[in-house]
Amino acid sequence: MARAGLTPERLTRAGAELADEVGFDRVTVSALARRFEVKVASLYSHLKNSQDLRTRIALFALEELADRVADAVAGRAGKDALAAFANAYRDYAREHPGRYDAARLRLDPETAAASAGVRHSQMTRAILRGYDLAEPDQTHAVRMLGAMFHGYVSLEMAGSFRHTAVDSQESWTWVLDSLDALLRHRAAP
């Protein structure tokens, strides 16, 4: 019999919170059972295994992040949309480091196709429409933006920019200005 109050949704949310506290790589069904002060076996009526839990957290994080980005870019275009998009990712990673890592979990193709990851790609392409990029430049730009935002955020969170007097925010603004200029330059003639 399932323990009262435990649901897959509640366990997923608790797993996401745990990921932010201890790191996504340390989230397991055992760790979650300890949080709820229950035996591991009692969670298996809600979760298949640790991989199922990790996938659920990843899907939760992707959805949460997509909602945040959608709110940030609503009604914006061009550089304003690009900056809002980038800042939403960066802020989410800072506020929810474990969930942000979870959003990077490699999902099987079927799960990925049904996830909010598709919304992320669609929002990126919507922003790029403001730059009038034709294919394959649009696909290249989607990949470049993803790599740039993730790379910058990952390095910043690891403390890689603390060794210089130049403020990380100043560099972030410079990067966004440079990306905007590059995308405008690459626009279809």
Side-chain angles (χ1 to χ4, degrees):
M1 179 174 181
R3 182 178 171 102
L6 292 182
T7 64
E9 294 77 20
R10 185 169 179 219
L11 294 171
T12 300
R13 182 170 288 282
E17 292 168 3
L18 184 62
D20 288 338
E21 294 167 17
V22 302
F24 182 60
D25 59 330
R26 297 184 65 196
V27 174
T28 63
V29 174
S30 297
L32 197 56
R34 284 191 297 276
R35 174 164 280 210
F36 283 99
E37 298 178 349
V38 298
K39 294 185 181 198
V40 173
S42 67
L43 298 186
Y44 286 119
S45 61
H46 305 288
L47 303 167
K48 294 176 192 170
N49 51 38
S50 285
Q51 186 58 39
D52 180 41
L53 173 61
R54 292 171 58 78
T55 299
R56 287 173 183 271
I57 295 167
L59 294 172
F60 174 80
L62 284 168
E63 189 72 36
E64 193 174 57
L65 181 54
D67 289 345
R68 182 178 285 200
V69 171
D71 288 345
V73 301
R76 298 175 188 261
K79 183 180 176 187
D80 287 342
L82 177 69
F85 185 95
N87 288 329
Y89 269 89
R90 186 177 182 217
D91 292 346
Y92 185 81
R94 288 170 157 179
E95 293 167 26
H96 301 292
R99 295 178 206 194
Y100 181 77
D101 284 346
R104 301 287 170 264
L105 181 69
R106 185 176 185 159
L107 302 171
D108 66 75
E110 185 176 310
T111 302
S115 77
V118 175
R119 284 179 57 206
H120 291 268
S121 178
Q122 291 169 339
M123 286 186 286
T124 307
R125 287 181 183 278
I127 288 167
L128 292 172
R129 278 195 293 275
Y131 290 99
D132 196 27
L133 295 173
E135 283 297 348
D137 285 350
Q138 190 177 98
T139 296
H140 297 323
V142 167
R143 292 172 179 167
M144 176 187 70
L145 293 177
M148 179 59 236
F149 300 154
H150 177 65
Y152 193 97
V153 166
S154 296
L155 289 169
E156 183 178 47
M157 289 175 59
S160 298
F161 302 144
R162 292 186 186 144
H163 64 283
T164 179
V166 177
D167 182 60
S168 180
Q169 180 60 43
E170 184 180 338
S171 295
W172 180 250
T173 301
W174 185 90
V175 166
L176 295 179
D177 289 344
S178 299
L179 287 171
D180 174 65
L182 172 66
L183 292 170
R184 281 187 285 111
H185 175 74
R186 295 295 302 212

